[in-house]
Amino acid sequence: MRNLIIALALVVSGTLAAAQQYDVVVEGGRIIDPETGLDAVRNVGIREGKIASVSVAPLSGRRVIHADGLVVAPGFIDLHQHAQDLASQRLKAFDGVTTALEMEIGAPDVTQFLKAKEGRSLIHYGTTASHVAARSLIFGAPLPEGTILPKSGAATDQAATPEQIQRIQQRLRDEIDAGALGIGMGIEYTPGATRLEVIDMFRVAAERKLPVYTHMRSAGRVEPGSAIASVEEVIGAAAITGASLHIVHINSTCLRDSLECISLIEGARARGLDVTTEAYPYIAGMTAINSAVFNPGWREKLGIDYGSLVIPDTGEHLTKDRFDELHNSGKQQWVLIFANTQEVVDAVIPDPLIMIASDGAEGHPRNAGTYSRVLAQYVREKKTLTLIEALRKMTLMPAQMLERSTPAAHRKGRLQEGADADVVIFDPQNIADRSTFEKPMEPSVGVQYLLVGGTVLIDDGKMVPNVFPGRPVPGPRKAVTTTNR
Ligand SMILES: [Zn+2]
C-alpha cells in the first residue's frame, strides 16, 4: 500500500511538472517540416515563443490544442505583401501566413513603417528600402502619404544625373541603417533608370551584403525590352556586383515566356549566382493605372487591349477614354490586368524553383487566397504538387531567402526544436481560398489554428481579438561597412 502511494505521488508530481512544462502543446497532428522531411504524427511543445519539443511521447501544457487529422506546419512566409493594414493582415492569417513582408517595392520610409507597426501587428512584418521612393524623393517628388508607387512623370521617366544617383544610393544606405531587409526595385515603375543606375543600386546591396528584390524592367516579347532581356539585365547586375537577387512574380512579368525565364534563372544558378524567384496562382496582375507601367507601348508589350483592364471595386472594363482619364489622374487607382493564361500559371506553380508569394493588395483575390489556393488546387485537385513540396515553397524557401538579410531567419520556416513558434494548423481536406475577383476580401477556410511567436492568433477557426503578436523581421540592422564601391 505504501509503495502504491509513493508510486501514485510520483505519477502525480511528474504529471504536475509536465503540466507546467509547456505554454502550448499541439497534440496528435501530422507534423510536416520540409527541411528535415519529417511527415509524421508528433506532439509539439511550445515555450516562450519557441518550439521546445517535437516528440512522439505525450506532452503536457497549460493549453492543449488537439490537432488530430490536421496538418501542423511552419507558418507561411510571404515575401511579397503590399497591404499591411489590419484588415489585410487578418486575411493573411486565415491564409496561414505568419510573416508578411513588403520586399518587392519597399516601404517609402522604413523608420515610419516599423514604428507604425510596433505592438499593432497581427503577424510578423518587415520591408526593403525602396529605390522607387528614394528616386522620387531625390527628384523632388516624394510619394504621397500611404502610397508606394509614383505617378508616371519626370521622376519616373527621366534619367538621373550621376549626382542624383549618388544621393539615391545614400538614401538607400540610410534606409538600410533604419532596418530594411534589402533593396526593393520596381524598375518598370522607373523606366528612366538607366542600366548603370540599376547596377549602382545593386552595388549598395552588395556593399551591405543584402539582396535586391526586383520587379523587372519590362514584360512581354517585343524587342528591345522583352521579359527575357529584363531577366538578363538583373542577372547581369547580380553577376557584376555579387548581390543576391530575388525576381518577383515571374508569372506576371514573363507571361507566355515564364518557363523560359525560369530556365534563365536555372542557368544563372548553375553558374553559381544566387538568384531566386516566386509566383502567385492567378491569371491577372494588379497595379496603379497612373504608374509608368502604362506608359505608351503597354498594349503591344502585354499583348492586351483596354478591355483587359478591370477596376476591382466595380468590375468595370476600361475603354480608351476611361483609360486616358485614369492614367492621367493624380489619384491612384488600382487596376486588374488580365494578361496571363491558366496554362501558364499551372505550369509555373509546381516548378521546383518557384516559391509562393502573394503580391497581396486590396482589390485582388491573391491578397486573401494565395496560399490556400495552391494547397486546394495544386495539391488536392490537380495533384501536380505534393503537400510537403507545396509547404516547402511557402516556408523553407522564403526563410532561406530571408537568411540573406538576417540570421534570425534560420529560426523561421522550420518546425523543429529551437525554431520560432510560428505555426499553422490546417485541415488538408478542406483548406481552400474563397476570395474571387468579384469578392477579393473573402477569407480562406481551413486554417483552424495559427500561432504567431507562440501566441494563438486563430483559435478553432476564429480570430482571437486584441492580440498583436507580430514582431519586426529582423529588427533594425545597423551599418556593417561604409566602404565605397
Ligand atoms: Zn510587381
Side-chain angles (χ1 to χ4, degrees):
M1 184 65 183
R2 187 156 172 262
N3 285 347
L4 183 63
I5 288 168
I6 289 168
L8 274 174
L10 280 174
V11 166
V12 169
S13 68
T15 306
L16 281 175
Q20 288 159 359
Q21 204 174 3
Y22 298 106
D23 302 332
V24 181
V25 165
V26 181
E27 194 177 78
R30 177 183 168 193
I31 311 297
I32 302 185
D33 176 49
E35 186 169 59
T36 57
L38 178 70
D39 180 353
V41 173
R42 293 282 187 277
N43 304 305
V44 179
I46 291 162
R47 191 192 295 130
E48 290 172 3
K50 297 268 182 292
I51 294 170
S53 178
V54 179
S55 165
V56 178
L59 304 173
S60 306
R62 285 193 286 118
R63 168 79 202 269
V64 177
I65 292 171
H66 300 284
D68 310 60
L70 303 177
V71 167
V72 182
F76 305 151
I77 299 171
D78 191 347
L79 295 177
H80 191 162
Q81 172 64 20
H82 298 301
Q84 291 277 339
D85 57 301
L86 286 175
S88 287
Q89 284 199 331
R90 184 174 174 276
L91 296 176
K92 307 310 293 185
F94 278 110
D95 208 28
V97 175
T98 51
T99 302
L101 310 166
E102 164 61 90
M103 303 296 252
E104 178 199 28
I105 300 293
D109 186 316
V110 173
T111 304
Q112 214 178 62
F113 172 87
L114 293 174
K115 193 155 183 273
K117 299 187 83 64
E118 204 180 323
R120 299 187 191 91
S121 193
L122 298 178
I123 55 180
H124 303 314
Y125 54 92
T127 180
T128 50
S130 170
H131 166 256
V132 165
R135 196 177 205 274
S136 298
L137 192 67
I138 302 310
F139 270 78
L143 296 182
E145 182 82 31
T147 63
I148 57 164
L149 295 174
K151 174 174 164 33
S152 171
T156 64
D157 296 357
Q158 283 178 9
T161 64
E163 190 258 339
Q164 283 175 318
I165 288 180
Q166 280 181 14
R167 289 174 60 205
I168 297 168
Q169 287 181 308
Q170 191 49 49
R171 169 69 182 175
L172 293 177
R173 289 188 188 100
D174 294 345
E175 289 288 87
I176 291 167
D177 292 346
L181 293 160
I183 293 177
M185 295 191 76
I187 306 173
E188 195 172 13
Y189 296 101
T190 58
T194 60
R195 268 72 178 164
L196 183 57
E197 178 177 338
V198 170
I199 290 166
D200 278 340
M201 300 308 132
F202 273 68
R203 283 176 166 143
V204 174
E207 155 195 315
R208 297 302 177 93
K209 298 189 166 42
L210 288 173
V212 175
Y213 287 73
T214 177
H215 170 129
M216 296 182 293
R217 187 179 290 278
S218 194
R221 284 185 170 166
V222 179
E223 298 284 11
S226 66
I228 299 291
S230 301
V231 176
E232 284 181 338
E233 178 185 15
V234 288
I235 287 179
I240 291 160
T241 61
S244 296
L245 166 65
H246 182 81
I247 295 174
V248 304
H249 55 49
I250 198 90
N251 52 313
S252 63
T253 300
C254 290
L255 302 171
R256 283 180 295 169
D257 293 321
S258 290
L259 293 182
E260 282 298 345
C261 288
I262 293 170
S263 80
L264 303 190
I265 294 169
E266 211 176 337
R269 290 170 63 89
R271 252 50 74 186
L273 293 179
D274 187 11
V275 187
T276 56
T277 191
E278 59 167 62
Y280 55 78
Y282 295 89
I283 59 166
M286 184 176 75
T287 196
I289 194 163
N290 64 1
S291 72
V293 166
F294 293 106
N295 282 0
W298 64 270
R299 286 183 301 157
E300 294 75 15
K301 255 172 39 176
L302 294 172
I304 56 171
D305 217 327
Y306 298 101
S308 298
L309 304 183
V310 178
I311 302 294
D313 314 310
T314 60
E316 174 193 355
H317 289 251
L318 299 192
T319 58
K320 181 182 185 312
D321 287 350
R322 186 77 167 120
F323 170 84
D324 288 342
E325 177 196 332
L326 294 170
H327 179 60
N328 295 323
S329 167
K331 187 173 164 280
Q332 196 158 83
Q333 169 68 55
W334 293 110
V335 66
L336 295 162
I337 310 162
F338 286 87
N340 217 341
T341 65
Q342 195 61 48
E343 291 68 36
V344 168
V345 175
D346 288 351
V348 167
I349 295 296
D351 189 283
L353 278 186
I354 293 293
M355 50 185 100
I356 305 301
S358 75
D359 198 358
E362 281 185 27
H364 194 300
R366 67 194 182 193
N367 193 32
T370 289
Y371 292 85
S372 302
R373 187 176 179 85
V374 169
L375 294 170
Q377 294 208 349
Y378 297 92
V379 177
R380 201 166 56 227
E381 288 161 29
K382 298 185 176 92
K383 297 184 168 52
T384 49
L385 267 178
T386 63
L387 182 54
I388 194 166
E389 281 308 315
L391 293 174
R392 173 188 298 275
K393 292 166 174 286
M394 303 171 176
T395 61
L396 183 66
M397 288 172 72
Q400 287 171 332
M401 185 57 210
L402 267 181
E403 286 164 23
R404 275 75 159 178
S405 302
T406 169
H410 283 286
R411 297 195 308 269
K412 299 218 171 282
R414 278 96 169 166
L415 212 152
Q416 300 163 19
E417 288 174 14
D420 290 346
D422 300 332
V423 182
V424 58
I425 304 171
F426 63 91
D427 183 343
Q429 305 307 323
N430 284 336
I431 192 161
D433 55 312
R434 300 277 300 279
S435 57
T436 61
F437 287 105
E438 290 73 34
K439 287 189 166 179
M441 295 294 273
E442 287 294 305
S444 297
V445 292
V447 170
Q448 291 304 111
Y449 299 90
L450 192 79
L451 283 82
V452 179
T455 299
V456 179
L457 182 63
I458 293 176
D459 194 347
D460 200 15
K462 292 184 190 65
M463 180 71 64
V464 178
N466 302 319
V467 295
F468 298 95
R471 296 287 174 269
V473 179
R477 176 195 173 99
K478 294 298 168 195
V480 291
T481 163
T482 49
T483 53
N484 244 317
R485 73 180 203 229

